[in-house]
Amino acid sequence: MDQPTRTRRVIAAALALYIAFVFVQSLFFKFSDSPETQYIFGTLDAWGASLGVPGLFARSGPFSQYVVGSAELVASALLLGGLFVGRALLSALGALLSLGVISGAIFFHLFTPLGVQVRNTDGSLDGGQLFALACGVWLAAAGLLWLHRGALTGLLAARRRVAA
């Protein structure tokens, strides 16, 4: 294997592992209904209600912590699966899903009452740590998509051939 290919694989693996680490460690909070999760999704649900869409972020809503957590779990499985079986397409699909999920998170941090700093259970602010992690995941997912762009374009080309 030549050096650029090896370097590219190492970078792709590091990006995939970072995204999976951030997503998987957050699953406990989302699926256990932790106070931090209640604060985040409660704040978003109150914001949605103020816009006339109550329940949007509630526990049974279409953008609940369980829906978001499930998407993060699937993205992590695709990323890790692609990494361990050596399939760039799986990693690319995981990166695409990660980019979608985390773009939503960044949007809600920036354009809702949630804000960049999230309140901890002790009442203190997190100093923007959660937002910084989200930005890191966004950059990692975008980088991974760029590294695996050939797998996605190959899939699209194959799909066009089938449709023709």
Side-chain angles (χ1 to χ4, degrees), residues 19-149:
I19 296 167
F21 172 77
V22 171
F23 279 172
V24 169
Q25 65 86 26
S26 78
L27 294 178
F28 167 78
F29 295 96
K30 287 184 179 76
F31 292 147
S32 70
D33 200 26
S34 74
E36 296 89 352
T37 298
Q38 289 176 26
Y39 170 78
I40 291 168
F41 284 86
T43 300
L44 292 175
D45 198 48
W47 172 76
S50 75
L51 297 175
V53 282
L56 197 60
F57 299 94
R59 287 187 187 115
S60 60
F63 298 108
S64 72
Q65 65 208 47
Y66 305 114
V67 172
V68 172
S70 295
E72 291 173 349
L73 181 59
V74 170
S76 297
L78 287 168
L79 290 166
L80 295 174
L83 181 62
F84 292 121
V85 299
R87 299 285 185 218
L89 181 58
L90 285 178
S91 291
L93 293 172
L96 193 60
L97 180 56
S98 298
L99 194 65
V101 168
I102 214 64
S103 292
I106 290 170
F107 172 86
F108 291 116
H109 275 284
L110 290 175
F111 300 109
T112 73
L114 183 59
V116 171
Q117 294 190 68
V118 175
R119 192 158 307 281
N120 295 315
T121 53
D122 64 1
S124 65
L125 296 174
D126 76 345
Q129 287 179 330
L130 195 60
F131 181 74
L133 286 172
C135 291
V137 167
W138 194 95
L139 291 170
L144 201 51
L145 277 173
W146 183 80
L147 289 172
H148 292 312
R149 65 192 178 279

